[in-house]
Amino acid sequence: MDANRIRVPDFKKMKRRAQKITMLTAYDATMARLLERAGIDALLVGDSLGMVVLGHETTLPVTLEAMIHHTSAVCRGTERA
């Protein structure tokens, strides 16, 4: 486990302190790396990748395996977010 990563308790502290929390969507390691360098606190990997990345008309064809694949790529691209 990486001690530098922001975890749920960290977000709770930020909320109690009324700190702003930034979150954007990423689907791959390159975008995750760029967003983290920009100072984004958290990265969302949503099933919208079905339409945005995979070219489907809806999110319905997105499998758990696809979500795991893209989430793993995003994690590999970051150290903190």
Side-chain angles (χ1 to χ4, degrees):
M1 191 185 301
D2 189 346
N4 294 325
R5 287 213 185 264
I6 295 180
R7 305 280 183 209
V8 171
D10 300 316
F11 286 116
K12 287 182 177 182
K13 287 178 193 173
M14 292 170 78
K15 182 175 175 160
R16 278 196 303 273
R17 295 178 188 150
Q19 287 179 268
K20 292 185 179 182
I21 298 169
T22 58
M23 180 182 285
L24 288 174
T25 302
Y27 303 117
D28 58 43
T30 301
M31 183 56 71
R33 194 171 296 115
L34 290 170
L35 293 175
E36 183 173 72
R37 286 182 187 169
I40 301 302
D41 297 314
L43 300 174
L44 169 72
V45 182
D47 62 354
S48 58
L49 71 89
M51 295 176 292
V52 176
V53 177
L54 303 177
H56 297 298
E57 289 189 25
T58 70
T59 60
L60 295 176
V62 178
T63 63
L64 179 57
E65 289 77 17
M67 293 302 301
I68 292 169
H69 172 83
H70 287 272
T71 301
S72 297
V74 168
C75 287
R76 286 191 300 272
T78 62
E79 294 178 7
R80 179 181 171 270

